Amino acid sequence: MLSRFAPRAAARSALHAQNQAAHIVRATPVTCMFQARISQRRGYATPAEERDLVIIGGGVTCIEKRGALGGTCLNVGCIPSKSLLNNSHLYHQILHDTKNRGIDVGEVKLNLANMMKAKDTSVNSLTKGIEFLFKKNNVEYIKGTAAFADEYTVAVNLVDGGETSVRGKNIFIATGSESTPFPGLTIDEKKVITSTGAIALEKVPKKMVVIGGGIIGLEMGSVWCRLGADVTVVEFLGQIGGPGMDAEISKNIKKTLEKQGMKFKLNTKVVKGDDSAEIVKLDVEAAKGGKPETLEADVVLVAIGRRPYTAGLGFENIGLETDNKGRLIIDSEYRTKLPHIRVIGDCTFGPMLAHKAEEEAVAAVEFLTKNYGHVNYNAIPSVMYTHPEVAWVGQNEAELKEAGVKYKVGTFPFSANSRAKTNQDSDGMVKFLADAETDRILGVHIVGPNAGEMIAEGTLALEYGASTEDIGRTSHAHPTLAEAFKEAAMATYGKAIHY
């Protein structure tokens, strides 16, 4: 997407670039709205105090309505969901997977309130950590809801009452995204929930139906399945994990999740829903037409995707427009048609991933302060934190076929990896896709234990244009799960040793 590339050494730290600016006004990454707060030792900004940069939704005078820093990812997304995923996995493992390990346990009970407390403790600790960093780096933080008053002025309705405004020579918009609602169902975060409600249920549902078999639906569905819910996932497509996940990997994780108790209805669409009674009813049928069926659940998780949060931000006051998906249109340097206003993260193009937004923040600040920046959109990893985890970077087979690229495939199963076998956690595989002629790595796909950590090696290899032979000839410690990564690479250009 970017036409200008920076030397890697020059594109390391957005924070360093920000600290060089005289007064940077920045907002925390938020999924839902413009938000802002000022640190206690500084007065509220006035229209006369013009800033060099105002960032709405991202970080240095912070317009943040939520009342806690870190945006969706930290408050109601990545971080709390990973706490529940980790702790629900421990509970499920103690309940079902100790006897064969020589560990005898007594009665195992779920204390859901304490599990939620552990999640909240993690979130609060991290949000307070950001507040500390703000104070340490003289970051101004305004708590309130903001909208454009004019091209250079952001008006803020303060959470504690009153109003203020901030002027900026430059303004960044980083307002994130929100859950896409399902027509006909009313989200109350109790009975019909989004991911926000899924991390805060007060009891384990007897039956849960998940509309959407993408990453969020599978992660949250697996949490409640482990804790005892009867979970059914309804997915319009013919595979789970979303279109970015390699089809072979998708089939592999589906089998594993089914063994754990999750049920799937693929190639199935939800025609309508009725949430008027205590039990929610969903009418479903085959995506291409077929016999209808009614599903019932005491909790329905709507996980059909996310949409950019761009409503209510006063764009009509400055002439900014969005495309048919609600995304703000930008050029190769993240500028809107008003060059002093730039956009990063979920509210513009690209995958809705926190680390993608972070890379764009670095590049956008460097474009502003140094006139160059760099993000390699072909090397942005994705991770699904089920157990086993699924992770990938680069292209999948379907994308290579569509592009007409000649490629070769190499795989290695964790069932042949000594560490995975010893850990009694050997479901899954590592898969490489490489150019048929040059052996350059085009994509890496992993389903298995610790996949989310292992994908970093694949991302680094892709970033630096490595071949599978480069990986295969690099020593990997024994015994480690990462040896499966090396052997899958060897299988791509030659032959694996242990399979």
Side-chain angles (χ1 to χ4, degrees), residues 22-70:
H23 291 286
I24 301 181
V25 181
R26 186 180 178 195
T28 50
V30 292
T31 291
C32 296
M33 6 190 116
F34 288 108
Q35 308 170 346
R37 191 205 283 173
I38 289 182
S39 78
Q40 297 298 319
R41 50 197 173 75
R42 301 182 68 177
Y44 286 124
T46 68
E49 298 177 26
E50 184 175 70
R51 278 17 182 204
D52 291 327
L53 171 63
V54 176
I55 303 181
I56 303 175
V60 179
T61 283
C62 186
I63 304 180
E64 164 63 76
K65 170 191 161 189
R66 192 184 304 276
L69 297 173

Side-chain angles (χ1 to χ4, degrees), residues 39 66 74 81 172-173 319 340 388:
S39 78
R66 192 184 304 276
L74 201 159
S81 66
F172 281 8
I173 301 172
H340 68 287

Side-chain angles (χ1 to χ4, degrees), residues 75-151:
N75 287 278
V76 293
C78 313
I79 299 302
S81 66
K82 300 317 167 280
S83 174
L84 293 180
L85 281 158
N86 182 67
N87 292 337
S88 65
H89 173 63
L90 290 175
Y91 169 75
H92 189 268
Q93 189 171 36
I94 294 170
L95 200 62
H96 301 287
D97 189 27
T98 58
K99 185 177 180 180
N100 292 336
R101 298 176 183 271
I103 304 172
D104 293 329
V105 297
E107 185 180 6
V108 180
K109 293 183 179 180
L110 171 66
N111 188 325
L112 185 59
N114 277 355
M115 186 176 286
M116 291 297 176
K117 184 178 179 180
K119 171 208 67 176
D120 294 338
T121 298
S122 298
V123 170
N124 292 336
S125 174
L126 290 168
T127 57
K128 294 300 181 183
I130 299 177
E131 287 192 38
F132 169 76
L133 291 174
F134 271 28
K135 292 177 181 179
K136 180 180 178 181
N137 292 282
N138 297 320
V139 176
E140 194 174 26
Y141 172 28
I142 306 174
K143 183 164 58 174
T145 302
F148 282 95
D150 59 45
E151 292 181 9

